[in-house]
Every structure is written in structure tokens, then in C-alpha cells.
Amino acid sequence: MLIPCLACDSKFRPDEFFEACSDYNRGMDLVSWTCPCCGNRDDLRVLPGELGFGYPSRGRFDVLDRVRVPGLRRQRGELRLDISLDRSSWHVPSRLRQPV
Ligand SMILES: [Zn+2]
């Protein structure tokens, strides 16, 4: 199972891919991802069994491309997103966007 960068077509193992996730936007349900190869920054949605790539528009996120990742699971937390696949898991922290 390899996950592609949609910008440069490099392919990554899940551990390489999910370690490059940096910021969970809980409101939009998106994680930021920076390609370790080409530096492209993308937003994607982690869904059960797949990843959704797309573009934000008018306050929503439209998923245009889906990449199947069999067995992928997610758990939304208050301040982070937990992603798990097989026996591995990754935690993507939320950035606090609105300091009081
Ligand atoms: Zn890339």
C-alpha cells in the first residue's frame, strides 16, 4: 500500500505519509500535509478506508480525489486527530486558531 503525492507522483509508505501530517483543522475536518519530496502543501481529509483530497471553497471542503487505504481508521479528539492503520497509529495535533 503506497500513497501518492498528487503534485509530484512520489509514493509513500503509510508511516512516511502520515508522519508528514502537521495540523488538524477540526472545524473543517482536515489535516495539512507537506510532501517530504517536493514540499507541496496539501489539505486532506482522513476517512474510514480512504483519504480525500480536494480544495476548500466557500467555507467547505470539496473532496475531488479519493485514495483508497484499506483498514484506515480515524478518531476525532478535542485537540487532535488519531489515525490508525494496521498496528500503527499517528496523532495529528490541532493548532489553536483563535487565541482568546
Ligand atoms: Zn510531492
Side-chain angles (χ1 to χ4, degrees), residues 44-85:
L44 58 103
R45 182 170 289 162
V46 178
L47 296 159
E50 64 184 14
L51 296 173
F53 293 87
Y55 300 95
S57 75
R58 285 183 249 137
R60 303 181 30 207
F61 183 75
D62 294 327
V63 173
L64 300 179
D65 287 300
R66 291 166 186 270
V67 174
R68 299 274 300 144
V69 185
L72 185 66
R73 285 177 294 147
R74 47 166 279 171
Q75 172 90 43
R76 295 178 77 183
E78 201 55 50
L79 291 171
R80 68 181 202 198
L81 181 71
D82 294 340
I83 302 167
S84 56
L85 179 68

Side-chain angles (χ1 to χ4, degrees), residues 5 8 35 38:
C5 168
C8 72
C35 177
C38 72

